[in-house]
Amino acid sequence: METQQKELETQQAEVRRALVERMKLASGRVDFTATLDSLRRGELSIVEALREQLPDAFRSEVLPKLDLRATLDLAQVSKSYRDAVWNVDGVRSMKAKLKGKARLRIGSFSCDNPLYFAAVHGNLTAVKAILDSGEDVNQPGNDKALFYAATCDHIALVKLLIEAWADVDKKMIDGSTALSYAAEYGHTSCVMALVHAGADVNVMTNQGNTPIFVAAKHGHEACVALLIAAGADVRKRKLNGQTPMNAASGDGRARIVKLLKDAGA
């Protein structure tokens, strides 16, 4: 705890020094009277003053000096801070911080990639900034973003990543795709977006699960209906021989059973 406090104090001192130096350089070009008055009255913090009066300095001098956690906390303070952290320059700074740190835990997820991180959090502003910085949505690491956006039901991100030509059929280590998990968790809007984007509705995981099998098993009627309309094979068997009908009837999903029967199961 003592070490963390010292690190924080060091960061704060560096920010103050950066502000003073930049104010000196810009003293002939920028009127700081109102800003200094606000600082004296306690109405404005040093970081806010720098962000408002010298946004270029804020991005080049302050953000790079904040550690990863402090940067993420700052992005939660307000929309203006969020936009400052998650712009193209901020993204470049974030990449360096993630690379210099062990994999970051986010709930049950673990990540070391800004696009992946932003997708898990559903941060649309961040994802747009990362894509604008020139990142390839399908390069290793980035190619997980669509999967986790769909898993977490971040439909706006799913649509954005699809528009950026994310591979809708990218498989994870277990053979699942974004559609596999969207169907399993009953994220109807994500299922619809992925289907419309041409995702393989009959893709099988390493265990032989298809999207319609897991949707039927977990009772997601709307997802089952969407997948049937998109041409899902209602008779396709898992590696153990089970079909979507087995999955639905075994759990008493009468309405889903009817849907499957009507579709020829």
Side-chain angles (χ1 to χ4, degrees):
M1 179 67 82
E2 185 176 344
T3 301
Q4 291 178 337
Q5 182 62 32
K6 287 181 179 179
E7 289 178 352
L8 179 59
E9 290 173 356
T10 300
Q11 289 177 357
Q12 290 173 337
E14 289 177 344
V15 169
R16 290 191 187 95
R17 281 196 293 273
L19 175 59
V20 170
E21 290 302 314
R22 287 287 179 161
M23 281 186 166
K24 286 179 180 177
L25 290 172
S27 59
R29 293 177 281 111
V30 181
D31 182 6
F32 291 109
T33 304
T35 299
L36 291 173
D37 287 343
S38 295
L39 283 168
R40 292 190 189 99
R41 291 194 298 268
E43 298 171 354
L44 195 67
S45 73
I46 290 173
V47 176
E48 287 171 328
L50 184 55
R51 176 179 58 78
E52 289 182 6
Q53 290 285 351
L54 297 167
D56 291 342
F58 179 78
R59 291 192 294 269
S60 63
E61 301 290 344
V62 177
L63 284 181
K65 290 181 172 65
L66 297 177
D67 64 22
L68 179 61
R69 181 53 60 188
T71 304
L72 297 175
D73 288 344
L74 184 63
Q76 300 301 315
V77 172
S78 68
K79 180 181 183 300
S80 58
Y81 277 128
R82 184 195 68 196
D83 292 344
V85 169
W86 291 114
N87 61 21
V88 174
D89 290 329
V91 166
R92 293 192 183 104
S93 173
M94 186 68 76
K95 289 177 187 175
K97 292 169 188 178
L98 280 168
K99 285 180 181 177
K101 189 177 181 69
R103 292 177 71 85
L104 184 68
R105 296 297 303 179
I106 314 166
S108 61
F109 302 104
S110 174
C111 88
D112 54 6
N113 175 282
L115 186 59
Y116 173 13
F117 179 90
V120 171
H121 277 279
N123 192 325
L124 190 64
T125 300
V127 171
K128 285 180 178 177
I130 292 166
L131 295 176
D132 287 344
S133 75
E135 283 291 304
D136 179 356
V137 72
N138 291 313
Q139 75 178 27
N142 289 349
D143 56 3
K144 299 176 184 176
L146 179 61
F147 177 87
Y148 284 108
T151 300
C152 298
D153 200 19
H154 299 316
I155 181 58
L157 281 187
V158 168
K159 290 179 177 178
L160 178 63
L161 291 166
I162 288 172
E163 289 172 2
W165 298 103
D167 181 359
V168 294
D169 289 325
K170 167 68 181 177
K171 287 193 172 187
M172 304 300 283
I173 194 170
D174 65 351
S176 59
T177 65
L179 182 59
S180 304
Y181 267 59
E184 180 171 347
Y185 288 110
H187 300 327
T188 309
S189 295
C190 291
V191 169
M192 185 180 298
L194 290 162
V195 166
H196 287 172
D200 182 358
V201 295
N202 290 311
V203 64
M204 296 180 73
T205 66
N206 297 347
Q207 294 183 333
N209 289 327
T210 60
I212 196 167
F213 182 93
V214 293
K217 178 178 177 60
H218 292 283
H220 303 310
E221 183 181 345
C223 290
V224 170
L226 278 170
L227 290 165
I228 289 173
D233 185 350
V234 296
R235 298 180 179 179
K236 197 173 184 71
R237 295 180 180 274
K238 285 185 59 173
L239 300 182
N240 64 7
Q242 286 191 322
T243 64
M245 182 66 80
N246 296 137
S249 58
D251 289 320
R253 317 283 191 189
R255 292 170 64 90
I256 293 177
V257 167
K258 184 177 187 307
L259 280 173
L260 293 168
K261 282 183 176 179
D262 291 345

